[in-house]
Amino acid sequence: MIARHDKSRMALFPHALACALLTLAAIVFRPLTPTDEGRYVSVAWEMWNSGEFISLTLNGELYGHKPPLLFWLINAGWAVFGVNEWWPRVLVGLFGVGAMALVLRIAGRLAGERPEIAAMAAAITASTLFWMVFTGAVMFDLMLACFVLLGIDAVLRAAQRQGPGPWVTAGVALGLGILTKGPVALLHVLPVALLAPLWIRPLASAGVAPRVRWVRWYGGVALALLLAAAVALSWALPSALAGGKEFGREIFWSQTVDRIATTVHHLRPFWFYAATLPLLLLPWLFFPAVWRGLAAAVRVPSSRPPGWAFALAWVVPVFLAFSAFRGKQIQYLLPAVPGMAFLLAAGLASLGRPLRRWEAWAPAFLFGLLAVVLLLLNRHPRVLQVVEADELGTVAWTSAAMIAAGGALWLAPWRDAARHAVAVAAATVFVMLGVYAGFGRALFDAYDVHAVSAHLRAAQGAGQPVAHLGKYQGQFQFIGRLREPLAVFESPAQLRPWLEQHPQGRVIVYTRAKDPLQLQPAPEFAQKFKGRHVGVWRASDLLGVSDQWLESQDRRR
């Protein structure tokens, strides 16, 4: 038993190290990025200021777009370490480590007596583009993936032993997943549990699962659902009652039916996920050996591991269901990436012989090609919109990392699939660190709102009220540690009465002027922001300008 735990810890160590390095890179090179990261940390900041842990707010108004678990955990860390920017990223990085531990355990069970498949599945998961990007990102998706994997692991354990224990774990995991990102957590786990008759026989024939009594099985699924509902409703009901009818509708409708059937946000066609799957799993679907391996696994059933059917029952329903939804974002499939990675690993293991030399060299070619493309894009007008010309030299660090990774893979002697997959994964993580240190460092400067947020904090500290022209996502609240909400106005006509009532106030306006300080009237502060400028004007200065002048700023070239 001790030897097994030591082996598990050794298998987890490189993945934990990768999570730590990616999280550290995010802390060092990536400011809390508008819109999403700045908004979510601002919700946590307002929770901290108000001491209200049931009703969430953003800029002083009730916020029902996301459940509270991430915000609770951020506040718990702040209570220990003090309010800071690094804890939210470390928190998500820790969930990344937990998710990788679960990936190793799930893949180990599905692989049966073929541990090399489990090792490849974990390596592929940890090195896919979106898994790396969301490691350390203050977003919900990697947290959700961790709870989904806990639920998936519980379903597997329910197939291996009788009793309610695994279903209790599944219910708690689903409940915490709902408190992380809403009922979508159910969709990632329930299909594979309901489709157990399709996958349990191969596991049983391999000695991984005993015979199951289906009445007890589906009773366990019902128990998990009841527990998940109880955990989720323990917050949702008090929050809905405290927030009123409209807020309750936002929690119970917007987080469920609206996001599936009636949303107008992130509208994409049915084939969106099929088209973006290579990006989600980058770089793995660009390697010919992966496709040859999948073809071999489909062609020769005896080459498949016992968990092949389980992985299909896990991934395919999720993929189809999310494709049918109106609103789509690539990261919505992040919790299913480990299942996809297992299928890719099983395919590579099905090859049964060393990779062809040109197949082993394919990753090196890919990294070299990406390095050349990045260097050619350096002077593209769209790049120059968000990257300062004097920072373009830092992009070379990313190209250098890609070339170094490609060279190492070119010289690597391994042609067996398992060692090659681990080497490619390590090289990909190294390239991602190079992206942060080079291109990312230059790019994210255009998203850093620390300077303007500090200016707003000083204005509020001097007793000057602050207004915001246009839609506001809360991006300045936490970064500036603002204690008061901003007055938000959608149009200049709505702003006009506020200007007259608060001539000593300050107004945030976005402009595409090349040099805002040359405008008349000029802002008292301006900085570059996402290819344009954000400026802070004195309200008294804007009293003399027309509504057309204000409306033209964000259209000015």
Side-chain angles (χ1 to χ4, degrees):
M1 181 68 70
I2 294 176
R4 186 192 307 172
H5 286 310
D6 289 342
K7 191 173 182 179
S8 298
R9 283 195 292 267
M10 288 299 295
L12 179 61
F13 175 76
H15 302 294
L17 178 61
C19 286
L21 291 174
L22 290 168
T23 301
L24 179 62
I27 292 171
V28 173
F29 298 117
R30 177 176 168 179
L32 292 170
T33 308
T35 302
D36 291 332
E37 288 188 311
R39 175 174 55 208
Y40 299 145
V41 182
S42 289
V43 173
W45 166 245
E46 294 191 18
M47 178 184 287
W48 176 266
N49 276 330
S50 67
E52 173 57 61
F53 292 89
I54 298 299
S55 298
L56 310 180
T57 63
L58 177 63
N59 196 41
E61 298 183 356
L62 287 173
Y63 180 79
H65 294 285
K66 291 292 187 292
L69 186 56
L70 174 63
F71 313 125
W72 287 345
L73 294 176
I74 290 175
N75 273 258
W78 283 346
V80 176
F81 305 112
V83 176
N84 59 72
E85 292 187 26
W86 57 263
W87 165 247
R89 294 205 184 282
V90 170
L91 170 66
V92 178
L94 291 173
F95 273 99
V97 175
M100 289 310 305
L102 288 164
V103 169
L104 285 165
R105 188 158 71 180
I106 292 167
R109 288 180 169 141
L110 297 179
E113 299 299 322
R114 301 171 70 180
E116 75 280 2
I117 296 180
M120 284 192 288
I124 292 171
T125 298
S127 59
T128 55
L129 175 62
F130 274 71
W131 195 275
M132 293 188 294
V133 168
F134 280 81
T135 297
V138 188
M139 301 282 282
F140 303 90
D141 303 271
L142 198 57
M143 278 184 62
L144 176 64
C146 187
F147 291 124
V148 165
L149 290 168
L150 184 60
I152 293 289
D153 182 65
V155 171
L156 264 178
R157 286 192 293 114
Q160 293 175 319
R161 71 176 198 180
Q162 303 295 325
W167 295 115
V168 171
T169 302
V172 172
L174 286 171
L176 293 174
I178 294 172
L179 288 180
T180 298
K181 205 178 178 182
V184 70
L186 299 174
L187 186 56
H188 283 284
V189 179
L190 278 184
V192 72
L194 295 174
L195 294 174
L198 300 180
W199 54 259
I200 207 162
R201 183 174 296 175
L203 289 176
S205 63
V208 180
R211 181 174 296 179
V212 171
R213 296 182 180 181
W214 294 115
V215 173
R216 290 185 179 180
W217 178 269
Y218 289 109
V221 174
L223 173 62
L225 278 174
L226 289 174
L227 286 173
V231 171
L233 291 174
S234 66
W235 165 77
L237 285 177
S239 182
L241 291 173
K245 182 178 178 180
E246 284 301 314
F247 187 64
R249 182 184 182 279
E250 185 168 1
I251 292 175
F252 290 107
W253 177 266
S254 297
Q255 291 294 324
T256 53
V257 178
D258 178 61
R259 290 184 178 266
I260 294 173
T262 62
T263 185
V264 295
H265 302 292
H266 312 306
L267 297 181
R268 306 286 199 284
F270 178 83
W271 45 262
F272 172 77
Y273 286 122
T276 57
L277 193 61
L279 186 61
L280 176 69
L281 299 178
L282 190 73
W284 293 95
L285 292 188
F286 288 91
F287 301 151
V290 169
W291 291 102
R292 192 163 64 88
L294 288 173
V298 171
R299 188 172 60 252
V300 185
S302 61
S303 68
R304 305 169 192 165
W308 176 268
F310 182 97
L312 288 175
W314 173 7
V315 168
V316 173
V318 171
F319 189 89
L320 294 176
F322 275 87
S323 294
F325 294 169
R326 284 168 57 86
K328 300 177 182 70
Q329 291 276 66
I330 299 178
Q331 67 266 24
Y332 292 172
L333 291 183
L334 193 69
V337 164
M340 300 177 189
F342 180 84
L343 292 172
L344 299 186
L348 287 171
S350 298
L351 292 174
R353 58 182 179 180
L355 302 180
R356 297 163 182 165
R357 187 168 297 279
W358 67 270
E359 289 177 331
W361 285 345
F365 282 119
L366 177 64
F367 288 135
L369 177 63
L370 290 175
V372 172
V373 169
L374 187 59
L375 289 173
L376 292 176
L377 288 176
N378 257 3
R379 297 292 175 177
H380 193 280
R382 289 189 178 275
V383 174
L384 292 174
Q385 271 190 321
V386 292
V387 176
E388 296 283 353
D390 59 355
E391 292 184 328
L392 288 175
T394 63
V395 177
W397 286 102
T398 299
S399 294
M402 291 177 177
I403 292 170
L409 291 175
W410 181 276
L411 298 174
W414 306 302
R415 289 174 59 194
D416 63 286
R419 288 186 179 182
H420 185 71
V422 171
V424 171
T428 305
V429 173
F430 176 77
V431 167
M432 189 65 196
L433 296 173
V435 170
Y436 270 120
F439 184 73
R441 181 171 52 166
L443 175 67
F444 286 127
D445 281 350
Y447 293 81
D448 190 347
V449 295
H450 279 81
V452 64
S453 298
H455 189 87
L456 298 176
R457 180 176 66 244
Q460 285 193 347
Q464 300 160 350
V466 180
H468 185 281
L469 180 59
K471 187 174 182 179
Y472 180 50
Q473 301 285 359
Q475 61 265 28
F476 306 124
Q477 298 302 118
F478 171 74
I479 300 296
R481 308 298 195 270
L482 305 185
R483 298 285 181 174
E484 300 295 332
L486 307 186
V488 180
F489 302 97
E490 293 294 329
S491 68
Q494 295 173 349
L495 174 65
R496 185 68 57 186
W498 187 92
L499 294 175
E500 296 171 352
Q501 295 168 13
H502 305 91
Q504 81 285 11
R506 299 295 186 268
V507 184
I508 303 165
V509 179
Y510 299 89
T511 177
R512 294 188 182 274
K514 292 183 177 180
D515 185 359
L517 297 180
Q518 298 301 316
L519 293 171
Q520 293 298 326
E524 68 175 15
F525 176 89
Q527 72 161 79
K528 283 196 170 183
F529 177 65
K530 295 172 68 173
R532 50 184 176 166
H533 286 84
V534 55
V536 180
W537 271 262
R538 297 178 184 87
S540 57
D541 290 345
L542 295 181
L543 280 169
V545 305
S546 67
D547 290 354
Q548 290 75 18
W549 187 91
L550 287 169
E551 288 174 345
S552 70
Q553 289 309 305
D554 209 21
R555 297 194 299 269
R556 185 186 295 269
R557 296 294 178 181

